[in-house]
Amino acid sequence: MSSPAPSDADGLTVGQVSARLGVTVRALHHWDEIGLARPSLRTVAGYRLYTATDLERLHRIVVYRETGLGLDRIRAVLDDSAVDVPGALRAQRAQVAERIERLQGLGAGLDRMIEAHERGLLLTAGQQAAVFGPGWDPDWPTRAREAYGDTTQWQQYAERSASRDVDDWQTVADAVAELDRALADAMDAGVEPGAPEADRLVERHREVFSSFFPLTRPMQVCLARRYEADPGFAAHYDGIRNGLAAWFRHIVDAAARAHGIDPDTATWE
């Protein structure tokens, strides 16, 4: 903002100064009331008029205020000869730099959030293969976005994904793999639906799945049914152990009944 030329600044009204400096009339009145910037002239009718000197002071006030200085500090900078003006401005410059750094960090976080909502998984195809194994389909996040992008669960998944790096996803993948092994071992051992060990595995599944989005018991029932009915999911689970998808649905149904939920009427929430 350039300082107004004295030749066209003398005798400006509050409205004219407001328009010229981009400051509200209310702010100018307030600064007048507290003695920070008072107009030097008045018309016969009593209207305030700002001189070129007044405009120079207002210009400095506006500049200092834009840097974040409070009005009391601005007054001291303008009127107190003992104040170290360069020092005060350097301190304010440091605060501005810190604020810029925080905003840049916020901007980067928002960029990741936007990308996560659009892509789902913020890993390269190579990173996905390293984390999830060579059988992983790197196009899955795109298909999932197309199918579920308008759901609450996708939004929750994206928010978690935005904050995760390769190591974080490796931890999730390891937890899923360990759960799959535990399910297979339990089925091999003949664990029956409704047994304490089966119920613990159902709870463990809900806990592991919360890495993606919160999973209620009715939603878990729906998901278990999809594991059995969907060819892709069924191939995954039955590839671990033949019949694992159906066995998992049975233990989920039994756990749901124990909590007063009818698996036949459970719906996705």
Side-chain angles (χ1 to χ4, degrees):
M1 181 185 301
S2 60
S3 180
S7 59
D8 64 1
D10 290 327
L12 291 179
T13 65
V14 172
Q16 290 171 322
V17 171
S18 171
R20 183 165 297 198
L21 295 183
V23 178
T24 65
V25 170
R26 181 177 180 179
L28 291 171
H29 285 164
H30 177 60
W31 297 348
D32 182 8
E33 291 169 0
I34 65 175
L36 178 62
R38 287 176 171 158
S40 299
L41 301 177
R42 286 185 181 269
T43 65
V44 175
Y47 293 109
R48 299 175 178 86
L49 292 177
Y50 290 86
T51 67
T53 300
D54 297 333
L55 266 287
E56 291 285 353
R57 183 179 178 90
L58 284 169
H59 171 73
R60 295 179 68 191
I61 291 171
V62 171
V63 170
Y64 291 151
R65 189 180 64 162
E66 288 177 350
T67 69
L69 283 177
L71 294 182
D72 289 340
R73 190 59 175 163
I74 291 173
R75 187 197 304 275
V77 168
L78 293 177
D79 300 332
D80 189 346
S81 60
V83 171
D84 177 10
V85 176
L89 294 179
R90 287 191 185 96
Q92 193 62 27
R93 177 66 180 85
Q95 293 182 25
V96 170
E98 292 175 1
R99 189 157 62 246
I100 290 172
E101 185 176 358
R102 289 196 299 272
L103 290 173
Q104 288 175 335
L106 176 61
L110 289 172
D111 287 341
R112 282 186 62 82
M113 187 71 74
I114 292 168
E115 190 176 6
H117 275 273
E118 293 175 345
R119 290 178 49 199
L121 198 58
L122 303 185
L123 300 178
T124 66
Q127 289 172 328
Q128 291 178 46
V131 170
F132 302 113
W136 172 260
D137 182 1
D139 291 332
W140 177 86
T142 300
R143 294 198 302 272
R145 171 68 175 83
E146 293 171 351
Y148 310 114
D150 59 348
T151 66
T152 299
Q153 286 73 38
W154 179 267
Q155 295 171 9
Q156 294 167 331
Y157 166 72
E159 290 169 1
R160 287 162 170 76
S161 179
S163 64
R164 288 180 176 147
D165 58 17
V166 174
D167 292 339
D168 295 326
W169 277 116
Q170 186 65 63
T171 299
V172 172
D174 290 345
V176 171
E178 290 172 6
L179 173 62
D180 287 348
R181 286 192 292 269
L183 290 170
D185 290 345
M187 190 187 78
D188 289 345
V191 173
E192 295 291 334
E197 184 177 350
D199 290 343
R200 285 194 294 270
L201 286 170
V202 171
E203 289 305 305
R204 183 174 169 186
H205 174 264
R206 291 181 63 224
E207 179 182 349
V208 169
F209 209 90
S210 69
S211 300
F212 304 101
F213 55 79
L215 188 69
T216 65
R217 294 186 189 281
M219 290 167 66
Q220 187 182 33
V221 170
C222 296
L223 191 62
R225 292 190 183 283
R226 183 167 187 185
Y227 285 173
E228 184 180 26
D230 183 273
F233 282 115
H236 168 75
Y237 285 100
D238 290 343
I240 298 171
R241 290 290 191 281
N242 186 39
L244 183 59
W247 179 82
F248 180 70
R249 179 179 67 80
H250 289 314
I251 68 171
V252 169
D253 284 357
R257 291 190 188 96
H259 286 85
I261 298 168
D262 181 358
D264 294 331
T265 60
T267 58
W268 191 268
E269 299 173 350

